[in-house]
Amino acid sequence: MDLLVNIDVPDLARAEAFYVAALGLRPTRRFGQGGVELSGLPVRLYLLEKPEGSIGAGDDIRRYRRHWTPVHMDVVVDDLDAALARALNAGATLEQPARTEVWGRIALLADPFGHGLCLIQFLNRGYDEVSTAA
């Protein structure tokens, strides 16, 4: 099996520029004018241009202002402060400043298209600090 992450965006060029600048990803394949594959994470990220107002899953209308969804990306970084500065400079919105937990540090962001995104820097034993065997 493999895992692919798809993100709908209203402006493919702007989204590509954001994810390249914010996360250091690189374009590896293009799919006509409507899609690009980005590499540099443990999974491939696909940006798919879909106009605002078009119909998405569940017959819901696509909108790109900030929205809540139970699915979002957590990007693990080595240096949260540097990654946060890079993401903000690329156009991310800081929603909750970095905070420290026993397992690590986390900052909550939104990309320019309303999608939630967290940056995480593990400390100590990471999630093993708070987990138990299943």
Side-chain angles (χ1 to χ4, degrees):
M1 281 202 277
D2 200 2
L3 176 66
L4 309 175
V5 175
N6 296 287
I7 300 177
D8 292 356
V9 296
D11 183 330
L12 187 61
R14 188 169 156 232
E16 180 180 346
F18 171 77
Y19 281 97
V20 166
L23 301 180
L25 303 180
R26 66 188 178 289
T28 47
R29 293 192 291 178
R30 297 194 183 279
F31 304 96
Q33 299 297 311
V36 64
E37 175 188 77
L38 300 177
S39 295
L41 294 170
V43 299
R44 284 161 288 169
L45 183 69
Y46 293 86
L47 301 177
L48 307 173
E49 189 167 64
K50 305 287 184 178
E52 183 155 3
S54 63
I55 302 299
D59 292 327
D60 198 12
I61 296 173
R62 284 185 180 87
R63 54 198 169 280
Y64 292 105
R65 63 188 175 278
R66 183 63 174 113
H67 56 273
W68 181 87
T69 176
V71 178
H72 65 276
M73 289 195 315
D74 286 351
V75 178
V76 178
V77 299
D78 292 328
D79 180 338
L80 181 65
D81 295 322
L84 180 57
R86 191 159 120 178
L88 294 174
N89 286 335
T93 301
L94 181 63
E95 295 192 326
Q96 289 186 19
R99 70 178 190 272
T100 302
E101 304 289 341
V102 66
W103 52 265
R105 299 180 65 216
I106 184 170
L108 282 64
L109 310 166
D111 76 4
F113 315 99
H115 306 303
L117 171 70
C118 296
L119 298 176
I120 294 177
Q121 177 185 350
F122 286 123
L123 301 174
N124 306 311
R125 297 178 305 134
Y127 285 149
D128 285 342
E129 292 289 337
V130 294
S131 68
T132 57

